[in-house]
Amino acid sequence: MSVNSLSKETELRLNEFFNQETDPVRFAKTIRKVNYLLAMSLMRDCETMQIDPKAVEQGFFWLNELAEILNPYLETDN
């Protein structure tokens, strides 16, 4: 298992970004909406755009992961 470490500057900037007065639930919903719109746009224009499908897939995955960290929308209470 590989572990990527962030620089101290990156950690500080991420902490500053996420410690703003941002509602995590609203932020996660916004990420999901943007992700959906980007995916729909790419699917509709894929015949005319030169895109790297692997890069789009990875971007979609990681944005969803970030949204899940902020607000575990898919988590269910049993």
Side-chain angles (χ1 to χ4, degrees), residues 3 18-19 21 24 33 42 67 74:
V3 176
F18 285 111
N19 286 332
E21 293 183 25
K33 286 179 186 177
L42 286 170
L74 298 177

Side-chain angles (χ1 to χ4, degrees), residues 3-67:
V3 176
N4 295 331
S5 59
L6 301 173
S7 70
K8 289 293 181 190
E9 180 183 351
T10 302
E11 285 183 25
L12 289 172
R13 292 176 74 188
L14 284 170
N15 280 331
E16 183 180 312
F17 178 80
F18 285 111
N19 286 332
Q20 295 176 19
E21 293 183 25
T22 304
D23 177 25
V25 173
R26 196 173 122 231
F27 191 41
K29 285 181 181 181
T30 301
I31 290 171
R32 289 182 180 100
K33 286 179 186 177
V34 168
N35 218 11
Y36 172 78
L37 291 172
L38 287 171
M40 292 300 294
S41 176
L42 286 170
M43 285 190 295
R44 289 183 178 145
D45 292 340
C46 69
E47 295 167 358
T48 59
M49 289 180 58
Q50 296 295 325
I51 60 171
D52 177 11
K54 188 70 173 170
V56 172
E57 180 183 344
Q58 288 294 312
F60 189 80
F61 173 80
W62 288 113
L63 280 175
N64 277 334
E65 285 293 306
L66 177 58

